[in-house]
Amino acid sequence: MRKVFTQTLIELAQQDDRILLLTGDLGFMALEPFADKFPDRFFNVGVAEQNMVGLATGLAEAGFIPFVYSIVTFATLRPYEFFRNGPVLHHLPVRLIGIGGGFEYGSAGPTHHGLEDVGVMRLQPGLTVITPADPPQARTAFQETWDLPGPIYYRLSKDDTLLVPELAGRFELGKADLIAGGPDLLFITMGNITAEVMAAARLLAEQGIRSSVLAVSTVSPAPVRELVEALGRFSLAISVEAHYKTGGLGSLVAETIAENGLNCRLVRCGVGKSQEGLSGSQNYLYRVHGLDIQSLAETARQALAANSVPGETASTGTGINGEVRTF
Amino acid sequence: MTKLAISGRQVRQIILEQSKRANVGHIGSALSIADIVAALYDSVLSIKQPDDPNRDRFILSKGHAALAVYAALSLKGWLAEGQIETYCGNESFLGVHPEHQLKGIDFSTGSLGQGLSIAAGAALAARLKKSDRRIFTLMSDAECNEGSVWEAVMFAAHHHLSNLVAILDLNGQQALGYTEQVISLSPMADRWRAFGWDVHEVNGHDTESLTETIAGLDTRQGPPHILIAHTTFGKGVSYMESQIKWHYLPMDDQQYRQALMEIGREN
């Protein structure tokens, strides 16, 4: 999504001179087109994420819309208190761009694995948290949200080739998208692992298990209506996220079930154990943590078997935002 | 010395009155900057109205001394009648640390080491908007323990943010000890100079000297500026001066009477 971010930002910046781009010395082979086009509106502030967010606070108070760019962990965790006391506390339109959620920087090692960003960011009141599943959806998300009055965190994939065709680039702030409508169980997912979840659903379909998939592209404000509607129709939901199990999407789903008194069992798929210093490819680390396609399908099979309440036999959903695939 | 419409003595009196009424501490820190704040609000800051977008900005990076700024805002007439009396009360924007929703406060602070970054961003914004407004920030010496301060120091120097003026309250104290015993900061002026700043050492209790020094700064071109303001913690109250415990303690009745007498209370 790095390329689509830069391209969309260039288009927006041509329309609105309030847009600035700050980077903490990252974005090689990604940000150069913006820097070339707008050299006076691009600032490499150096390896100094705290200062970068502080700068963005001062810039936004004066009427600018600063986009602040780094890898997920450095964008969110290092300057977290600056973000809390700055853009969040002052309700300023700073846009924090985190690249590489989950294990996208897998071989770079645990310092580069983005596993708690959604959890800590969704704690902040008034902060919009956006988790696109693929570049076309990311593009729509930027176009729809860049000029919101308050702060935004975008969790982006560094993969420019991801594609979830069922989404067709749709994004609506605060909404979730039902992109598969099977009756046996409900997957709920966010961000770059959505493609794996769709693949797991296809694998399950070959075995006669038909899944629904709800893609959450806005974590905050939470898509409560879509979550309640979907969860209300199933006795088994499986949340899937490239993130720690605690605090992120799975926790949001659990809160929604509890607060709405829904009769739905939840299985959370995410990173649930210590990283133990392991590095490796994203696919390898997905296997380690049960997030690869085969493991997700197996988890679903076991959960269905263990679920004492038989699977809901509701008819295939018609979806909320358009066409729905049936597995 | 020129008599200021807002004097350090007036600021001190409000600090003492409100600290006593609310029974809170941070008195020594506020007294330390009383003269700096008086100089800023009397004759340095160009602020026609607190909501004028082209006003000079002021960021109290050492937010725990906000009562000194509330005193100045009150003396300027920017607080509502009696609002100063809500200091540390319920339903008040006048907490121990400043809140931007209070008229006259540009940025909320309270976590040390954040103000200079915000000030640098505000200074960059002014330059991008081709405004000649200036950005002032008042820092503590101990907050230079924070690494983030030096991130901002480097950025401001690299970008020649000449419209940025930092004032450093060099009182030599922090919460649990004297700075030279906790983390040595000496030589402070040389450190800033080495990072490319225009450095001026001043007496932080001489309002005339502070005002003149700032008036002489070139805020249109060149490096960012810092005034290393030599101050006495608790200045004006003999038993508080340079005493660590007055970072936190509130005053009892006898101490309050003595303090008011020493600063020369006016009714």
Side-chain angles (χ1 to χ4, degrees):
Chain A
M1 300 178 195
R2 303 191 314 162
K3 287 199 168 102
V4 79
F5 162 68
T6 303
Q7 182 55 41
T8 311
L9 194 66
I10 287 171
E11 293 165 14
L12 295 171
Q14 283 170 330
Q15 300 166 25
D16 196 309
D17 59 10
R18 293 175 298 168
I19 290 175
L20 306 175
L21 177 57
L22 282 63
T23 177
D25 202 33
L26 288 169
F28 178 63
M29 300 282 283
L31 303 183
E32 293 86 348
F34 187 97
D36 293 342
K37 186 95 177 165
F38 304 106
D40 298 334
R41 294 159 67 183
F42 172 78
F43 299 92
N44 181 356
V45 307
V47 192
E49 296 81 7
Q50 295 178 89
N51 186 47
M52 179 160 65
V53 173
L55 292 168
T57 303
L59 288 162
E61 190 274 342
F64 288 102
I65 301 178
F67 283 70
V68 171
Y69 181 101
S70 191
I71 289 175
V72 159
T73 48
F74 316 140
T76 59
L77 302 181
R78 185 61 162 266
Y80 186 67
E81 195 206 9
F82 273 72
F83 203 73
R84 171 191 186 272
N85 292 344
V88 173
L89 187 58
H90 294 79
H91 313 294
L92 291 171
V94 173
R95 282 74 178 95
L96 194 57
I97 307 294
I99 297 290
F103 292 122
E104 289 197 317
Y105 288 97
S107 59
T111 56
H112 285 55
H113 299 165
L115 299 175
E116 55 276 90
D117 56 312
V118 173
V120 296
M121 298 312 265
R122 85 179 185 94
L123 286 174
Q124 296 298 331
L127 171 61
T128 299
V129 178
I130 293 175
T131 55
D134 66 3
Q137 188 180 46
R139 176 177 172 76
T140 312
F142 289 128
Q143 291 169 333
E144 294 292 316
T145 60
W146 69 276
D147 60 349
L148 288 180
I152 305 175
Y153 169 54
Y154 298 93
R155 183 200 224 209
L156 301 186
S157 168
K158 77 181 177 82
D159 187 346
D160 291 312
T161 65
L162 271 178
L163 197 61
V164 180
E166 293 80 0
L167 273 171
R170 289 187 303 272
F171 173 86
E172 195 175 348
L173 183 67
K175 306 287 186 194
D177 245 295
L178 197 65
I179 53 175
D184 296 328
L185 64 95
L186 171 67
F187 281 110
I188 302 176
T189 188
M190 69 171 182
N192 60 339
I193 205 168
T194 303
E196 268 78 7
V197 174
M198 291 300 282
R202 283 191 288 271
L203 187 59
L204 287 165
E206 291 170 8
Q207 299 157 6
I209 298 171
R210 294 173 299 164
S211 313
S212 282
V213 178
L214 187 68
V216 174
S217 52
T218 312
V219 173
S220 294
V224 176
R225 188 174 71 85
E226 289 83 1
L227 283 170
V228 170
E229 270 184 17
L231 289 163
R233 292 191 289 115
F234 290 88
S235 58
L236 174 64
I238 301 177
S239 62
V240 182
E241 57 197 310
H243 190 276
Y244 282 129
K245 284 183 188 176
T246 303
L249 179 68
S251 291
L252 170 63
V253 175
E255 292 159 15
T256 307
I257 290 172
E259 288 179 341
N260 292 278
L262 301 175
N263 184 22
C264 181
R265 181 186 168 215
L266 172 65
V267 174
R268 291 182 297 167
C269 293
V271 178
K273 58 184 178 183
S274 164
Q275 297 225 66
E276 303 292 354
L278 281 179
S279 41
S281 69
Q282 176 173 251
N283 285 339
Y284 164 75
L285 290 164
Y286 276 175
R287 288 197 297 277
V288 168
H289 294 281
L291 292 169
D292 61 297
I293 295 163
Q294 297 287 345
S295 299
L296 291 174
E298 181 57 27
T299 298
R301 277 191 297 270
Q302 291 181 11
L304 266 180
N307 210 25
S308 58
V309 181
E312 185 73 42
T313 53
S315 59
T316 300
T318 53
I320 291 158
N321 286 322
E323 188 180 340
V324 172
R325 301 254 317 247
T326 303
F327 293 121
Chain B
M1 185 183 295
T2 312
K3 181 163 173 58
L4 303 179
I6 294 177
S7 69
R9 194 209 54 74
Q10 289 173 295
V11 171
R12 284 192 172 82
Q13 180 169 328
I14 294 174
I15 290 169
L16 294 172
E17 289 169 349
Q18 294 306 318
S19 298
K20 179 58 180 162
R21 184 194 51 72
N23 193 34
V24 296
H26 289 305
I27 305 168
S29 302
L31 293 174
S32 181
I33 62 167
D35 301 301
I36 298 168
V37 168
L40 286 171
Y41 281 90
D42 181 85
S43 45
V44 172
L45 293 171
S46 174
I47 304 175
K48 288 174 187 158
Q49 285 300 323
D51 57 356
D52 173 9
N54 207 31
R55 69 193 184 279
D56 283 351
R57 301 292 196 274
F58 173 62
I59 300 155
L60 182 68
S61 195
K62 52 171 292 181
H64 55 284
L67 182 52
V69 175
Y70 300 152
L73 298 181
S74 182
L75 292 165
K76 291 290 278 189
W78 291 343
L79 298 186
E81 181 73 25
Q83 194 173 7
I84 191 74
E85 303 289 334
T86 70
Y87 175 62
C88 287
N90 294 334
E91 287 194 309
S92 173
F93 285 131
L94 282 72
V96 168
H97 302 93
E99 163 56 43
H100 73 282
Q101 295 194 56
L102 179 67
K103 186 179 177 184
I105 299 295
D106 293 330
F107 291 93
S108 303
T109 54
S111 177
L112 294 172
Q114 300 189 344
L116 189 61
S117 287
I118 296 170
L124 181 61
R127 174 188 289 175
L128 291 171
K129 287 182 173 289
K130 303 192 189 312
S131 164
D132 60 1
R133 66 176 178 258
R134 303 162 302 170
I135 316 300
F136 293 85
T137 184
L138 177 50
M139 310 168 62
S140 81
D141 44 5
E143 80 170 306
C144 294
N145 295 170
E146 295 276 9
S148 57
V149 167
W150 302 98
E151 294 181 7
V153 166
M154 288 187 280
F155 181 89
H158 181 85
H159 289 275
H160 307 289
L161 296 179
S162 53
N163 55 349
L164 174 60
V165 181
I167 303 171
L168 193 143
D169 173 28
L170 190 79
N171 61 30
Q173 288 188 215
Q174 53 196 102
L176 300 186
Y178 297 99
T179 56
E180 285 308 300
Q181 295 167 348
V182 178
I183 291 287
S184 175
L185 299 162
S186 297
M188 185 67 93
D190 287 347
R191 292 183 186 206
W192 288 77
R193 209 172 275 124
F195 277 87
W197 282 56
D198 171 40
V199 180
H200 300 261
E201 297 207 60
V202 295
N203 176 350
H205 299 302
D206 182 344
T207 48
E208 193 169 22
S209 170
L210 284 163
T211 304
E212 286 176 2
T213 302
I214 293 169
L217 301 176
D218 185 349
T219 56
R220 292 176 182 273
Q221 58 182 356
H225 313 278
I226 181 158
L227 275 62
I228 308 285
H230 293 262
T231 58
T232 300
F233 181 89
K235 177 72 175 179
V237 179
S238 59
Y239 61 86
M240 290 189 192
E241 288 190 359
S242 304
Q243 296 300 306
I244 297 296
K245 65 183 178 183
W246 287 101
H247 187 89
Y248 286 117
L249 290 182
M251 295 170 285
D252 64 24
D253 291 345
Q254 192 279 327
Q255 288 165 333
Y256 178 55
R257 283 192 296 273
Q258 181 181 342
L260 282 178
M261 186 183 67
E262 290 188 12
I263 65 155
R265 174 187 185 174
E266 287 181 2
N267 291 315

